Amino acid sequence: HPMATRLPFVVIAMGKWGARELNYASDIDLMFVHDHVPGEDGPSRTAALALASRLVSDLSSPTFDGPALTVDADLRPEGSMGPMSRSLDGYTGYYDQWAEAWELQALLKARPAAGDEDLGNRFMKLVERIVWDRGLDVEALRSIRRIKEQTEQGARPQDLKRSRGGIRDIERSEDTRLNSSH
């Protein structure tokens, strides 16, 4: 896109990538944040969507040995139904008014990974305000637990990632063990 070089744009690492916990079977979870180029609001969004789509396509393109990375952009607001990139103001409005508990939980491991450093820092200030200042109330925590139970019930027994006692539970128990030993 002609504006791509002038567009403030940042890739936000989420999930295991955001927490620097990737393993050989991990996908990379990511979100994209853009800011407006002064005087060009509409084209900024168009350029950001083009850049985000191109990055996902390039990162997941097949190579001789298969795709370089498995990219998952579904931790963004509204999951796969949401836009690939939002402005910082767009994220602020969404998280303040519409965010579900799982979306706030997903922000716990968010970090800027590439792109505009200032925009990444401003996004992290938003995350701090949303997650730590506002926090998750008891009902939000119950909602997260219900989602986990539904995921486990819907998983096939051979699903090593989502089924009860699968990789996610092993990682959680390992995290708990390591944190309690410090």
Side-chain angles (χ1 to χ4, degrees):
H1 193 279
M3 283 181 50
T5 58
R6 296 181 295 139
L7 180 73
F9 185 87
V10 64
V11 177
I12 303 296
M14 304 286 288
K16 290 181 145 298
W17 184 35
R20 293 181 170 94
E21 299 171 341
L22 289 178
N23 60 49
Y24 71 93
S26 295
D27 58 3
I28 60 167
D29 296 290
L30 45 77
M31 290 191 336
F32 304 104
V33 183
H34 66 275
D35 210 350
H36 299 290
V37 174
E40 300 188 43
D41 288 342
S44 296
R45 184 175 191 276
T46 303
L49 294 173
L51 185 53
S53 295
R54 178 71 185 263
L55 281 168
V56 170
S57 175
D58 286 353
L59 290 171
S60 57
S61 291
T63 67
F64 181 73
D65 294 319
L69 297 165
T70 303
V71 177
D72 185 349
D74 290 347
L75 289 180
R76 69 187 186 270
E78 301 176 277
S80 62
M81 301 302 291
M84 285 293 279
S85 182
R86 289 179 190 254
S87 68
L88 188 59
D89 290 340
Y91 279 107
T92 301
Y94 181 85
Y95 287 127
D96 282 341
Q97 294 181 5
W98 306 107
E100 295 184 34
W102 71 266
E103 293 171 307
L104 301 180
Q105 180 189 23
L107 290 173
L108 291 171
K109 295 182 177 182
R111 69 174 171 87
D116 187 283
E117 187 175 344
D118 176 62
L119 182 57
N121 290 335
R122 289 187 290 142
F123 180 80
M124 292 311 297
K125 285 184 182 188
L126 168 65
V127 167
E128 288 172 18
R129 182 180 64 78
I130 295 293
V131 174
W132 301 113
D133 294 348
R134 186 169 85 188
L136 297 172
D137 61 19
V138 172
E139 186 51 41
L141 297 173
R142 285 186 184 123
S143 170
I144 291 167
R145 186 170 291 214
R146 281 192 299 272
I147 290 170
K148 181 184 182 307
E149 290 169 359
Q150 290 171 349
T151 300
E152 288 176 348
Q153 289 172 357
R156 298 182 329 267
Q158 58 270 43
D159 185 337
L160 296 177
K161 183 175 183 180
R162 293 174 185 87
S163 63
R164 187 169 178 82
I167 291 170
R168 288 183 175 168
D169 287 336
I170 292 167
E171 290 169 343
R172 277 188 206 98
S173 65
E174 181 65 16
D175 288 345
T176 302
R177 186 184 67 76
L178 290 173
N179 289 333
S180 65
S181 65
H182 292 299

